[in-house]
Amino acid sequence: MARLHIRPGVDPDEPDVPVVTLCVDPEGSPGERAVARLGDHCYEGDGVLFLAGTDGWAEHTLDGRRLTVDIVVHPSVLGRTGAELAAFPGRSAADPEALLVLRAETETDPELYARAAPATAVFTGAPDRMLDADHGRPVLLGPPPEE
């Protein structure tokens, strides 16, 4: 099951800035498996992988203390992950052509969320090791593209 957190210390350049962090299991649900394979379609940065904003993004909604994060990806990119597109009938709130691949929710402090970086860091791995310091490079997903 995907786990959603907001935590500081994820970005070594800004260790005090909280980051919305999603942890996915590559052997988990179809959505988790698809998100785990997005790293193969990213470009490399300094210790991270970036998914192009035209390929996919993370949509955040805060309702009181309930944070919902939707990972959405365009069908052409999702198809390259080997995912069965028919398994993802949901659509993006920002772009109806993009598919809702994974939704995660958590309770959070609205003040902590207000200070969070705009990108969402996605870590992939075994559930018991997801946030280990040596776990590897996260995939960074930006917010929805603006029209």
Side-chain angles (χ1 to χ4, degrees):
M1 168 188 266
R3 294 185 295 176
L4 184 62
H5 309 274
I6 299 179
R7 57 182 356 121
V10 175
D11 183 348
D13 293 332
E14 297 183 291
D16 295 330
V17 175
V19 175
V20 175
T21 305
L22 179 64
C23 301
V24 297
D25 182 352
E27 303 299 321
S29 69
E32 285 184 271
R33 292 192 308 265
V35 170
R37 291 190 296 262
L38 284 178
D40 295 339
H41 305 283
C42 293
Y43 59 94
E44 295 184 34
D46 187 22
V48 297
L49 299 170
F50 295 97
L51 185 66
T54 55
D55 291 345
W57 53 87
E59 297 175 359
H60 297 185
T61 305
L62 184 64
D63 184 10
R65 298 182 61 82
R66 171 65 71 193
L67 174 63
T68 302
V69 174
D70 289 343
I71 304 300
V72 297
V73 181
H74 275 280
S76 61
V77 176
L78 187 59
R80 290 191 302 252
T81 70
E84 179 60 45
L85 298 182
F88 304 101
R91 299 294 178 169
S92 162
D95 178 355
E97 291 184 20
L99 303 176
L100 172 60
V101 177
L102 184 65
R103 173 172 283 164
E105 297 180 326
T106 192
E107 292 289 320
T108 193
D109 175 1
E111 291 179 19
L112 178 66
Y113 176 72
R115 295 189 341 239
T120 300
V122 177
F123 288 88
T124 301
D128 60 339
R129 292 195 59 232
M130 285 204 194
L131 292 177
D132 288 353
D134 65 346
H135 195 330
R137 298 180 297 177
V139 171
L140 290 185
L141 299 167
E146 295 182 18
E147 297 187 276

